Amino acid sequence: MKKILRNIMGIALVGALALTSCDNDDDMSPVTPTPTGPDFSGVYMTADQMGRPAINTVFVSSSMKDEFNVTPPSQQGAKYASAFAAGLMGLSPAYANAGDKNALGLDAATFGSVLATDVLTVSTTAPTTFYDGTNVLTGRNLADDVITVELLLIFGGEDFTENPTLSDDNVSSNDKDFSTSFPYLATPW
């Protein structure tokens, strides 16, 4: 009798475990996957523009920053050229006198117009470089000394000899070698 009772209890326990471990999802219908990618719905706006490093940072005042950043590059030259020219004349002794030009032969008004259009220009027919002694703003290589070139064009005058203490960032190269494969950046550590 004890043995029969033990068998009945064992069967009841196994049945109880089997029933409690099952859920009610037995319809076998296919499950529609939930999208896991980014949601591109809504309205987006540009938060920052930095086609040429440091130019926006230096020549766009904090009161103009938000408006400048949402202005399409095609409209920036006309809208901000005079502010950039005033910035050049206020910052650089190389533009202190009427008729002063930089090494590209651009006076403050013309160079201000070039700088105010915040894009990285690329030439499809010239070597890619920010400046290599011959080609200017035909693209940009990672190893290009962009800040020194910008300082030379802003402070260096007609032949890059004016204001030598302002015309060089004194950083001649990256502190680490660039990678030889995409994305070609140096490791951070």
Side-chain angles (χ1 to χ4, degrees):
M1 180 72 169
K2 270 183 158 180
K3 188 174 180 179
I4 293 173
L5 187 57
R6 196 175 344 162
N7 286 343
I8 291 173
M9 299 241 340
I11 291 170
L13 180 62
V14 169
L17 289 174
L19 290 175
T20 57
S21 65
C22 294
D23 61 22
N24 62 358
D25 186 16
D26 60 352
D27 60 2
M28 303 300 285
S29 62
V31 176
T32 303
T34 304
T36 57
D39 179 6
F40 292 109
S41 63
V43 177
Y44 293 86
M45 60 187 285
T46 304
D48 198 3
Q49 292 192 40
M50 196 67 67
R52 293 189 187 104
I55 297 300
N56 176 337
T57 306
V58 171
F59 290 101
V60 178
S61 69
S62 59
S63 64
M64 295 188 320
K65 190 71 75 181
D66 289 341
E67 182 183 325
F68 180 85
N69 285 328
V70 297
T71 301
S74 61
Q75 299 171 15
Q76 290 174 331
K79 193 167 187 175
Y80 298 102
S82 62
F84 276 62
L88 283 168
M89 291 186 289
L91 285 173
S92 177
Y95 292 101
N97 302 309
D100 280 341
K101 296 180 179 180
N102 66 12
L104 300 177
L106 304 176
D107 61 15
T110 308
F111 193 43
S113 177
V114 170
L115 292 178
T117 303
D118 194 13
V119 296
L120 177 61
T121 53
V122 176
S123 171
T124 58
T125 58
T128 300
T129 182
F130 206 71
Y131 177 71
D132 64 3
T134 303
N135 300 288
V136 181
L137 304 177
T138 55
R140 180 181 175 192
N141 290 302
L142 286 174
D144 288 347
D145 195 350
V146 173
I147 299 299
T148 292
V149 171
E150 291 175 343
L151 292 172
L152 283 167
L153 293 172
I154 293 167
F155 296 104
E158 287 86 355
D159 59 2
F160 288 160
T161 61
E162 296 180 36
N163 309 300
T165 58
L166 300 173
S167 300
D168 193 340
D169 66 358
N170 295 307
V171 178
S172 59
S173 64
N174 200 38
D175 60 342
K176 297 208 174 219
D177 291 334
F178 293 109
S179 170
T180 57
S181 60
F182 185 81
Y184 306 105
L185 301 175
T187 58
W189 294 276

